[in-house]
Amino acid sequence: SSGINAEYGGNTWFHKNDIKISISLEPSKKDAPHDESVPMKYIRCSMRLKVSHLEEYIRDKTVLKESGLQITCKNKPLDGQLTLENIWLDTWKRKEAPMRLYYSKKAD
């Protein structure tokens, strides 16, 4: 995180005035063990957040630390460099919030 702070001149509130989006972040399998679920299913965050940031969050909050992750929206795999705004415009098609995202271990 110190690299992020340096990149933005030490300002830790650089996303404060961004447009926010509500997302639902859930395991893709209904029978997923409880310890594979993130503690907060609903998250409100900046539309500039990237999928790779969500992957880091999931790894930090679940037992999926070492495994590769796949995040999907409407059964479409999402690239780590996409922002939530890209997904909301292109995949979610501006439907009602929360935008539903699912995560799972990447298939080997």
Side-chain angles (χ1 to χ4, degrees):
S1 73
S2 62
I4 292 173
N5 288 339
E7 182 178 343
Y8 290 94
N11 184 357
T12 58
W13 295 98
F14 52 86
H15 290 298
K16 179 181 177 185
N17 296 320
D18 285 358
I19 296 171
K20 305 291 190 271
I21 186 169
S22 296
I23 63 171
S24 167
L25 191 58
E26 305 175 49
S28 62
K29 296 178 183 173
K30 297 290 183 197
D31 57 348
H34 178 71
D35 58 356
E36 288 188 8
S37 298
V38 292
M40 293 175 31
K41 176 180 171 181
Y42 297 102
I43 302 170
R44 187 164 170 82
C45 51
S46 167
M47 287 190 83
R48 294 195 303 168
L49 193 77
K50 292 183 178 182
V51 171
S52 60
H53 297 132
L54 289 176
E55 291 170 350
E56 287 178 35
Y57 174 76
I58 294 165
R59 281 189 198 96
D60 187 50
K61 301 294 182 187
T62 67
V63 297
L64 302 172
K65 296 185 187 318
E66 299 299 322
S67 62
L69 290 174
Q70 179 64 64
I71 297 179
T72 60
C73 181
K74 296 175 77 176
N75 294 321
K76 179 182 174 186
L78 303 174
D79 181 79
Q81 295 305 307
L82 287 175
T83 64
L84 294 181
E85 182 176 20
N86 298 135
I87 300 162
W88 186 72
L89 292 171
D90 298 336
T91 306
W92 191 246
K93 307 287 189 202
R94 302 176 187 178
K95 293 181 181 173
E96 288 186 25
M99 182 168 65
R100 299 191 185 283
L101 302 177
Y102 298 91
Y103 61 92
S104 61
K105 292 179 185 178
K106 270 189 182 173
D108 294 329

